[in-house]
């Protein structure tokens, strides 16, 4: 049975944790300066009883200096074998947290995730592998050791995956375990796998090592980069180079010449071992590839591995070096969440496994929409229960369950601003039912950036399905639904503002079961943003487009294949657009429709169908109302808005609503023409 120990100075065990020791790890674990800086708070989830829209937990920063200081204590020779430790700052294990095993790079300290311990500790049970400096365990021996650990922990992780996070040789170790144990439920996060060792410049390092006396081997630039992440290139020295020089003695201690030669041989054997078995790996894998890795061709290697493994995805980091986990711009939890790789059971549950975004994640996910918001100065109107239209979102209820249902603008241009406004003005977190294309591996490979859809997942989008719809309503969420789906968002020429809804009711009875409030809404303005030059009917006439069309519209991402209605023609395609000088977006959220207490009534199909038709007509009425009133808006075009904003400022409320100057925020129907 594997050993998991918490290292501190002096040695103590973390509270609320079950510790298990095995006969093959009798050596006393070393101590480490890893004092717990504060109490651990559980990570906010979608099921939290206190309504929150952001995870505002305070995380104290750790960096290279902490890594070095703790490693100095950890690498003191004790003659012991490899062993696991759990950093105390990770906190106590949650009841449903999956186990995460960290497999280190060539340094072997096990502290490579020090920047991420606190955040990871809120959603995982963290064990880090420490390989002593003078340990000479073979690669196969390390593989067997990790296998024994997983086998012993499976009984404590029933129906839960076990995560393996490895970098460099640690990534090879993870791949080897997966290859030898295809039945293990593993989720692997691999940073710059060393499977490309034979194609790297590291092989030539051994030649220099034979010439240089110890401790001059640490002056090899590749060595320094490998251990610390410092980039020594002809372009200049880093600002903290003096600190680096002061720590060269640490590099000698962490990898003396003899150990470094051993580790290079270990890398070679690891790459050969894994590459010969790579084709049998079935585990779920996310590869993190650095664009400035000076040691390994990580970007090309990631693509090679992904081509050979059907359950593998990639995230590229163009500005990162080899030891990306020690870089300040990398947040491993954000990466896992954005890629949709966090799960607590055998299958991903995008509803119950969802983790609230941090303020920084929200800012990054909505940054592009902030500029779109500024350029379009959107007008948002809502309707009170008495039918009165008001400025802003005052007519939106504060509690769920609530279903927002409306028109899907071309390419979903309305989404970002709407999500952002609901967050900032109402503290409401919209959960969108999204097309499966956003979650598909093949779809990612079609995009210029494989992380193009990560922001949608961070903000809570889930694949559209009756099950996910049910779960969201049961959690009293604010759910965003577009019955017209991709057929509306990718409409053809001349089809703007046309609804492509199914003829029969789809969401009424489910909504009434939970007594949810339905808010129909309309949005207009896409025709002031762009014109469609080439739509789907045009593109299919272009030679060779059929190849791309098949890749985009594969069976795994098609919806409504069983209907003959127009809404079933959901062929996805990249429309060719002619941009315009940006006009303005107009939103109108209609009068809330209550279904509470109507569950029995709406079980009748006729009653449900009548309400469904009413909701659809309300959406059409909202758009008709906005199209009529925007004709009288003096600020509909960009130039008048810029003149107004130049005079009155870009951050004032009037800047966003221009001539909506009613102090009581009421907008009478005969006055709204001045918006």
């Amino acid at each position: 049975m594997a050993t998991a120990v918490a290292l501190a100075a002096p040695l103590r065990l973390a509270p609320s944790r079950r510790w298990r020791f095995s006969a093959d790890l009798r050596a006393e674990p070393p101590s480490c300066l890893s004092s717990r800086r504060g109490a651990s708070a559980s990570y906010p989830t979608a099921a939290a009883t206190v309504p929150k829209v952001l995870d505002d937990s305070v995380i104290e920063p750790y960096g290279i200096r902490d890594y070095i200081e703790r490693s100095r204590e950890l690498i003191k020779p004790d003659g012991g074998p490899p062993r696991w430790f759990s950093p105390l700052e990770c906190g106590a294990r949650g009841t449903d947290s999956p186990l995460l095993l960290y497999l280190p790079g060539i340094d072997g300290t096990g502290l490579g995730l020090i920047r991420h311990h606190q955040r990871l500790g809120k959603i995982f049970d963290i064990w880090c592998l420490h390989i002593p400096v003078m340990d000479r365990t073979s690669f196969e021996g390390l593989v067997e050791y990790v296998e024994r650990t997983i086998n012993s922990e499976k009984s404590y992780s029933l129906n839960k995956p076990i995560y393996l996070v490895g970098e460099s040789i640690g990534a090879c170790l993870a791949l080897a375990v997966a290859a030898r144990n295809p039945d293990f439920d593993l989720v692997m996060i691999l940073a710059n796998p060393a499977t490309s060792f034979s194609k790297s410049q590291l092989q030539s390092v051994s030649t220099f090592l034979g010439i240089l006396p110890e401790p001059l081997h640490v002056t090899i630039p590749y060595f320094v980069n490998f251990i610390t992440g410092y980039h020594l290139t002809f372009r200049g020295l880093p600002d903290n180079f003096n600190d680096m020089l002061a720590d060269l003695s640490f590099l000698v201690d962490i990898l003396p010449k003899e150990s470094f030669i051993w580790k290079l041989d270990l890398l070679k054997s690891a790459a050969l071992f894994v590459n010969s078995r790579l084709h049998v790996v079935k585990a779920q894998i996310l590869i993190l590839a650095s664009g400035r890795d000076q040691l390994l061709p990580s970007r090309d290697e990631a693509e090679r591995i992904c081509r050979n493994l059907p359950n593998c995805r990639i995230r590229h980091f163009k500005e990162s070096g080899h030891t990306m986990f020690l870089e300040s711009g990398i947040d491993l939890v954000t990466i896992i969440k954005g890629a949709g790789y966090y799960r607590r059971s055998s299958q991903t549950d995008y509803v119950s496994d969802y983790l609230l975004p941090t303020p920084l994640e929200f800012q990054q996910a909505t940054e592009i929409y902030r500029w779109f918001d500024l350029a379009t100065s959107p007008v948002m109107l809502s309707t009170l229960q008495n039918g009165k239209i008001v400025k802003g979102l005052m007519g939106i209820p504060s509690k769920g369950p609530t279903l927002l249902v409306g028109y899907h603008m071309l390419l979903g241009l309305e989404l970002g601003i709407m999500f952002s406004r609901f967050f900032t003005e109402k503290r409401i977190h919209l959960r969108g039912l999204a097309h499966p294309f956003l979650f598909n591996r093949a779809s990612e490979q079609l995009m210029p950036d494989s992380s193009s859809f990560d922001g949608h997942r961070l903000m809570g989008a889930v694949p559209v399905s009756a099950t996910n719809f049910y779960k969201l309503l049961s959690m009293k969420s604010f759910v965003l639904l577009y019955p017209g789906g991709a057929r509306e968002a990718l409409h053809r020429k001349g089809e703007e503002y046309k609804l492509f809804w199914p003829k029969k009711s789809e969401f009424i009875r489910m909504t009434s079961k939970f007594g949810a409030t339905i808010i129909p809404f309309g949005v207009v303005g896409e025709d002031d943003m762009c014109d469609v030059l080439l739509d789907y009917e045009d593109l299919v006439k272009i030679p060779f487009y059929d190849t791309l069309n098949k890749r985009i519209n594969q069976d795994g991402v098609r919806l409504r294949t069983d209907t003959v209605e127009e809404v079933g023609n959901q062929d996805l395609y990249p429309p060719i657009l002619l941009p315009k000088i940006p006009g303005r977006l107009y939103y109108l959220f209609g009068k809330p429709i209550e279904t509470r207490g109507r569950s029995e009534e709406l079980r009748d199909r006729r009653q449900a169908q009548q309400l469904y038709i009413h909701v659809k007509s309300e959406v059409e009425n909202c758009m008709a109302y906005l199209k009529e009133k925007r004709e009288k808006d003096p600020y509909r075009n960009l130039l008048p808005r810029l003149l107004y904003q130049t005079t009155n400022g870009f951050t004032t409320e009037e800047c966003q609503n221009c001539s909506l100057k009613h102090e009581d925020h009421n907008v009478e129907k005969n006055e709204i023409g001045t918006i």
Side-chain angles (χ1 to χ4, degrees):
M1 192 174 292
T3 299
V5 298
L7 301 182
L11 176 67
R12 59 192 176 101
L13 299 181
S16 304
R17 188 183 294 272
R18 179 190 253 164
W19 301 101
R20 300 171 291 280
F21 297 85
S22 63
D24 63 329
L25 290 176
R26 299 191 182 105
E28 189 69 16
S31 62
C32 174
L33 299 175
S34 86
S35 58
R36 191 174 181 178
R37 299 191 178 186
S40 173
S42 61
Y43 201 103
T45 68
T49 56
V50 179
K52 295 182 66 176
V53 294
L54 291 175
D55 169 28
D56 52 4
S57 304
V58 177
I59 301 296
E60 296 190 28
Y62 289 84
I64 293 287
R65 181 58 52 188
D66 299 286
Y67 165 78
I68 292 176
E69 290 178 356
R70 296 192 182 188
S71 295
R72 286 185 187 279
E73 186 70 20
L74 191 59
I75 63 176
K76 291 181 179 179
D78 63 358
R83 79 291 306 263
W84 300 102
F85 71 92
S86 183
L88 291 181
E89 64 264 24
C90 291
R93 176 178 185 173
T95 55
D96 59 351
S97 297
L99 176 65
L100 184 150
L101 303 179
Y102 170 63
L103 309 176
I106 195 173
D107 64 308
T109 62
L111 290 171
L113 293 181
I114 191 169
R115 285 187 180 272
H116 312 272
H117 284 166
Q118 292 183 68
R119 290 204 68 200
L120 286 171
K122 294 181 179 182
I123 58 176
F124 291 108
D125 180 23
I126 311 295
W127 292 15
C128 303
L129 179 62
H130 171 66
I131 305 174
V133 173
M134 302 309 294
D135 180 75
R136 295 296 180 263
T137 303
S138 66
F139 181 74
E140 289 84 351
L142 292 174
V143 172
E144 292 172 357
Y145 176 57
V146 176
E147 288 175 343
R148 288 198 301 272
T149 302
I150 294 175
N151 275 313
S152 67
E153 289 303 310
K154 283 196 302 181
S155 60
Y156 298 97
S157 301
L158 295 177
N159 299 319
K160 289 191 292 188
I162 292 179
Y163 280 70
L164 300 182
V165 177
E167 55 181 333
S168 187
I169 191 173
C172 292
L173 186 55
L175 286 168
V177 171
R180 285 165 47 116
N181 302 274
D183 295 331
F184 283 178
D185 184 9
L186 301 176
V187 180
M188 306 200 299
I189 315 297
L190 311 179
N192 302 321
T195 48
S196 61
F197 179 79
S198 62
K199 305 173 186 176
S200 72
Q201 303 181 57
L202 284 172
Q203 292 194 103
S204 61
V205 172
S206 58
T207 304
F208 295 101
L209 289 176
I211 300 174
L212 292 174
E214 193 165 3
L216 293 182
H217 67 288
V218 300
T219 61
I220 299 175
Y222 300 122
F223 178 89
V224 177
N225 177 269
F226 207 105
I227 303 301
T228 68
Y230 292 109
H231 297 284
L232 296 181
T233 68
F234 64 87
R235 290 178 291 183
L237 299 178
D239 294 336
N240 54 356
F241 186 61
N242 290 333
D243 292 338
M244 190 198 69
L245 291 177
D247 292 318
L248 284 179
S249 60
F250 159 73
L251 300 181
V252 176
D253 294 335
I254 198 172
L255 269 187
K257 181 178 176 180
E258 179 186 349
S259 295
F260 190 34
I261 294 175
W262 166 260
K263 290 294 179 69
L264 289 178
D265 290 337
L266 200 65
L267 275 172
K268 183 177 181 180
S269 61
L272 291 173
F273 186 96
V274 171
N275 284 323
S276 63
R277 298 166 174 81
L278 190 63
H279 61 284
V280 299
V281 174
K282 297 180 180 179
Q284 184 181 6
I285 300 174
L286 180 66
I287 299 182
L288 314 181
S290 294
R292 298 180 61 187
D293 188 343
Q294 300 179 32
L295 300 172
L296 301 168
S298 294
R299 183 180 181 88
D300 294 339
E301 183 65 6
E303 298 289 349
R304 182 187 75 88
I305 294 176
C306 192
R307 285 194 301 269
N308 287 277
L309 301 180
N311 203 14
C312 178
R313 303 192 187 192
I314 305 174
R315 292 297 179 269
H316 291 286
F317 300 87
K318 296 179 181 179
E319 301 302 320
S320 292
H322 185 74
T323 52
M324 64 164 60
F325 290 145
L326 291 175
E327 298 178 7
S328 59
I330 301 296
D331 189 321
L332 184 55
V333 172
T334 299
I335 295 169
I336 293 173
K337 290 164 57 179
Y341 269 57
Y342 185 69
R343 57 184 173 97
R344 301 182 181 95
S345 59
S346 58
Q347 299 294 328
T348 301
D349 187 329
Y350 286 98
V351 178
S352 61
D353 289 336
Y354 178 66
L355 303 171
L356 294 177
T358 65
L360 180 59
E361 289 169 349
F362 171 74
Q363 177 185 346
Q364 292 174 341
T366 59
E367 182 69 21
I368 186 174
Y369 303 114
R370 186 171 69 87
W371 294 106
F372 191 48
D373 191 313
L374 186 63
T376 60
S377 295
V379 174
M380 286 203 173
L381 307 172
S382 58
T383 310
L384 302 179
Q385 282 288 0
N386 61 9
K388 196 168 191 176
I389 297 174
V390 296
K391 182 175 64 175
L393 301 175
M394 294 173 59
I396 304 296
S398 300
K399 297 181 179 179
T402 299
L403 175 66
L404 290 94
V405 56
Y407 169 68
H408 210 356
M409 191 177 282
L410 181 66
L411 295 178
L413 291 174
E414 80 284 359
L415 279 172
I417 293 176
M418 190 162 67
F419 269 79
S420 180
R421 290 291 184 92
F422 271 72
F423 247 90
T424 56
E425 295 185 18
K426 294 286 291 186
R427 304 297 293 173
I428 288 175
H429 186 185
L430 293 179
R431 301 297 303 275
L433 294 169
H435 197 285
F437 184 86
L438 275 63
F439 303 86
N440 188 269
R441 174 182 182 265
S443 304
E444 287 187 357
Q445 296 175 330
L446 290 171
M447 304 302 292
D449 183 352
S450 58
S451 63
S452 296
F453 303 131
D454 287 9
H456 296 82
R457 287 186 281 262
L458 283 172
M459 294 302 293
V462 303
V464 60
S465 71
T467 300
N468 287 336
F469 187 34
Y470 181 95
K471 290 179 180 178
L472 289 172
L473 290 177
S474 68
M475 296 169 61
K476 298 184 177 181
S477 302
F478 281 75
V479 184
L480 178 61
L481 173 65
Y482 293 105
R487 184 60 184 87
E488 286 178 4
L490 294 173
H491 61 68
R492 282 37 162 183
K493 297 175 184 176
E495 293 180 344
E496 57 270 9
Y497 311 128
K498 182 178 179 181
L499 297 184
F500 292 93
W501 288 23
K503 293 181 179 180
K504 294 184 178 180
S505 168
E506 288 189 329
F507 55 85
I508 296 297
R509 287 192 291 177
M510 182 84 76
T511 304
S512 65
K513 178 179 178 62
F514 295 96
T517 301
I518 301 174
I519 299 180
F521 71 91
V523 55
V524 302
E526 67 174 75
D527 50 341
D528 286 341
M529 301 293 166
C530 60
D531 286 327
V532 179
L533 284 182
L534 297 178
D535 61 15
Y536 181 76
E537 308 302 334
D538 298 319
L539 291 176
V540 293
K541 298 175 183 177
I542 299 176
F544 310 113
Y545 177 76
D546 59 329
T547 302
L548 178 60
N549 187 38
K550 290 178 181 178
R551 293 186 62 189
I552 295 176
N553 293 289
Q554 57 180 306
D555 293 338
V557 297
R558 293 188 64 84
L559 295 175
R560 302 189 186 277
T561 56
D562 57 345
T563 180
V564 295
E565 299 176 35
E566 183 60 30
V567 69
N569 296 326
Q570 296 209 16
D571 296 290
L572 306 182
Y573 75 99
I576 308 302
L577 307 177
L578 176 64
K580 296 181 179 180
I581 297 175
R584 201 173 194 187
L585 295 183
Y586 303 83
Y587 297 76
L588 175 56
F589 297 91
K591 180 180 176 180
I593 301 172
E594 296 290 346
T595 66
R596 188 176 293 108
R598 301 180 63 185
S599 178
E600 289 299 320
E601 171 194 349
L602 294 174
R603 289 181 65 181
D604 182 81
R605 292 185 180 273
R606 290 185 179 181
Q607 295 291 333
Q609 184 66 19
Q610 289 179 5
L611 182 56
Y612 177 76
I613 294 174
H614 174 64
V615 172
K616 181 179 179 181
S617 66
E618 284 297 296
V619 173
E620 293 173 329
N621 290 340
C622 286
M623 290 192 291
Y625 180 79
L626 291 173
K627 286 192 288 184
E628 176 188 352
K629 298 304 180 181
R630 71 172 174 173
E631 296 297 329
K632 300 177 183 180
D633 178 13
Y635 303 104
R636 176 180 176 181
N637 297 317
L638 180 61
L639 183 56
R641 289 203 308 273
L642 286 178
L643 292 175
Y644 182 93
Q645 292 169 333
T646 302
T647 304
N648 296 274
F650 285 82
T651 58
T652 61
E653 184 179 353
E654 287 79 3
C655 169
Q656 300 299 323
N657 298 285
C658 290
S659 61
L660 287 175
K661 300 178 181 178
H662 311 283
E663 293 182 359
D664 63 352
H665 286 207
N666 291 339
V667 183
E668 301 292 350
K669 288 191 176 182
N670 60 349
E671 295 174 335
I672 197 157
T674 61
I675 59 176

